Amino acid sequence: PRVTAELRRLAERYLPFPPVVVGPGTRSGMPILYDDPKEVGADRIANAVAAYDRYGGPVIVVDFGTATTLDVVTEAGEYLGGAIVPGIEVSFDALFGRAAGLRTVEL
């Protein structure tokens, strides 16, 4: 969020099309069947829209990053929600930091 405005200016300057910054209120065309749609991260909605556009539904989207997110889209293209769990590196750090008998391995 701290660099969004600067990234938008960069994209406007160097890309041949206007950037779309996804956030609360952005119309994605996908109904969000979640208690409070504003609580769902823009990255998760963008992933869901892209996966549904590419593969249709139903689809489960898995995104591996600092956190691993799993999101579900119905056959009709509705975002149902999902789960957020620690990412692989975060999990490795916690596991090796708390299990004295385990050796660290390269991922």
Side-chain angles (χ1 to χ4, degrees):
R2 294 185 316 236
V3 298
T4 300
E6 191 61 35
L7 288 172
R8 183 190 308 249
R9 281 192 290 278
L10 181 76
E12 288 170 348
R13 182 173 179 181
Y14 292 104
L15 296 177
F17 49 84
V20 175
V21 179
V22 180
T26 302
R27 298 209 179 273
S28 67
M30 178 172 284
I32 302 171
L33 306 183
Y34 197 76
D35 291 338
D36 186 356
K38 292 179 182 173
E39 290 182 354
V40 182
D43 57 332
R44 297 174 72 188
I45 298 302
N47 285 346
V49 169
Y52 185 76
D53 183 63
R54 174 122 186 184
Y55 300 106
V59 64
I60 296 173
V61 183
V62 182
D63 184 352
F64 296 97
T66 302
T68 298
T69 59
L70 300 102
D71 295 288
V72 178
V73 179
T74 69
E75 185 172 2
E78 303 157 320
Y79 178 86
L80 291 181
I84 302 174
V85 298
I88 293 172
E89 281 193 50
V90 172
S91 296
F92 270 16
D93 290 346
L95 182 62
F96 297 126
R98 294 179 182 229
L102 291 179
R103 292 181 288 147
T104 302
V105 295
E106 193 81 23
L107 179 61

